[in-house]
Amino acid sequence: MPVHIQPYDHWDARNYAYTLPVYMQPNDPLVAEVLKVAGKFANEKGCSMYGYQGRSRESVKIQAEAIYKALQEMDLHYISSPASFETSGQKIRIPRRVLHEKSKQGTCLDLAMLYATCLEAASLNSVIIVISGHAF
């Protein structure tokens, strides 16, 4: 049986694109901190971080915006991709690395995965769109 081995933080987009969700870690304590801040922003608009239980598009929109605003408050910065195998994928900083490092930096893929992870932690569905040279 063929075995594919790669570095733990490398996403092989060419051969294993479907593995992207493995880099989401919604149970990380630092992600919980993001949701705590997001909860405060949601409360300001009369909403809670209760996923789809509110059964309204408006409540989901408020929650997603609150998470985005909480991430903005963390003063995260965009950086270029680290050296990796760019022709077939790239290294990914898991949410903990993006949130915990003093630099608080990430590529478009790192930051998109972080936002998707936070949405997942709030019981909201997300979609990552990856195009040539960019992710959102």
Side-chain angles (χ1 to χ4, degrees):
M1 170 179 265
V3 175
H4 178 78
I5 299 175
Q6 63 186 33
Y8 79 95
D9 60 352
H10 179 79
W11 175 53
D12 185 345
R14 180 184 300 150
N15 299 306
Y16 299 96
Y18 60 87
T19 64
L20 190 57
V22 304
Y23 299 97
M24 295 175 67
Q25 298 180 351
N27 296 321
D28 187 296
L30 291 176
V31 172
E33 289 296 317
V34 174
L35 292 187
K36 183 178 178 181
V37 173
K40 291 177 185 177
F41 291 131
N43 286 338
E44 290 173 2
K45 294 195 172 188
C47 188
S48 295
M49 300 299 292
Y50 46 57
Y52 295 105
Q53 293 178 25
R55 298 188 186 272
S56 83
R57 291 181 186 179
E58 187 61 27
S59 70
V60 171
K61 181 180 174 185
I62 290 170
Q63 292 172 76
E65 288 175 353
I67 291 169
Y68 192 83
K69 189 172 181 181
L71 290 171
Q72 284 180 315
E73 293 280 315
M74 298 186 152
D75 199 28
L76 303 173
H77 297 276
Y78 174 81
I79 58 170
S80 296
S81 299
S84 61
F85 308 99
E86 287 87 359
T87 59
S88 65
Q90 78 177 58
K91 289 183 181 177
I92 296 181
R93 290 171 190 84
I94 59 173
R96 177 173 251 338
R97 286 192 57 211
V98 174
L99 293 171
H100 186 65
E101 292 180 352
K102 290 181 182 180
S103 63
K104 295 206 174 192
Q105 299 176 342
T107 65
C108 56
L109 184 57
D110 301 334
L111 298 173
M113 290 301 296
L114 173 59
Y115 184 54
T117 296
C118 292
L119 290 169
E120 176 73 21
S123 298
L124 297 172
N125 298 326
S126 63
V127 175
I128 300 286
I129 299 173
V130 180
I131 59 174
S132 180
H134 193 56
F136 49 96

